Amino acid sequence: MTVRFLVLCSLLVLAVALPVRADNGWSTVAYPLAGPPQVIGSHAAGCIAGAMALPLAGDGYQVMRPSRNRYYGHPMLVRFVERLGQQAAARGARLLVGDLAQPRGGPMPNGHRSHQSGLDVDVWFLQQPRDRLLSRADTERIEMPTMVRAAEGTLNPSRWSPRYRDMLKMAAQSPEVDRIFVNAIIKQALCYSETDRSWLSKVRPWWGHDAHFHVRLACPPGDGQCKPQKPFPPGDGCDADLANWVRDIVRAALSPRPFRKPEPPSADRLPVACNAVLYGPMARGW
Ligand SMILES: [Zn+2]
């Protein structure tokens, strides 16, 4: 019996015996797990094996906050971002890409409840000119500007651009995209301005998301361990429910409550199969 074999056996025993560690195990593991891509669980309680790193810059996009090491995802997600970047580049723009997932997915100690399964990506509304590449320091420093006047329930016309609507529409029309979260005020403005509202069905209202949009891909075809999200109701969603969302956002802006930092998502809810993802060997080539 070789030493390597013994080490492998003890690793496997560890993987079975140890509970999934709370958050920090997932946020400190530096590299993806080797092997074919496999999503396990859901966007808000899941992990990913065989994730790919999105290159930090490509034609029409650049990754922001790279020091967080959250630029990993299912190859389908990486291809989606690269393609959206090319579409932006064709229009003379460069997208600023926020968080995807940690190298093996899982809960993050701050910032998101989802983004756990390598199928979510945040894209800033703010864009750069195609030929402007930000310095590394700027990718860590530049603030993400809001596009809404929350207390008035309207877009901020001095910030908003039809270019941002174009990228949102192109993302929504990508077949692999399940849904996109934006601030309800942004969705409502689009409900008023769009003549063809069919693409708005995938654009779902949420809190925050006034400076970036959050794209969520559907489970990859044939990926049996990936748990899909419940489908949303049919229709374009330009309805009374959306109006309620906007009303609540305006109210919250007018009488803000003291901010209570939410608890980070727990690792206890992850599928057991995520143990082997967290404790398995790193992908070759890293
Ligand atoms: Zn997000």
Side-chain angles (χ1 to χ4, degrees), residues 99-100 111-115 120-123 181 209 212-216:
D99 288 349
L100 284 73
H112 311 274
R113 303 205 76 73
S114 63
H115 287 252
D120 295 272
V121 57
D122 288 340
V123 181
F181 297 103
H209 297 79
H212 75 276
F213 58 98
H214 173 148
V215 179
R216 173 166 296 165

Side-chain angles (χ1 to χ4, degrees), residues 34-53:
Q38 168 78 65
V39 172
I40 300 165
S42 69
H43 304 90
C47 62
I48 177 170
M52 263 176 83

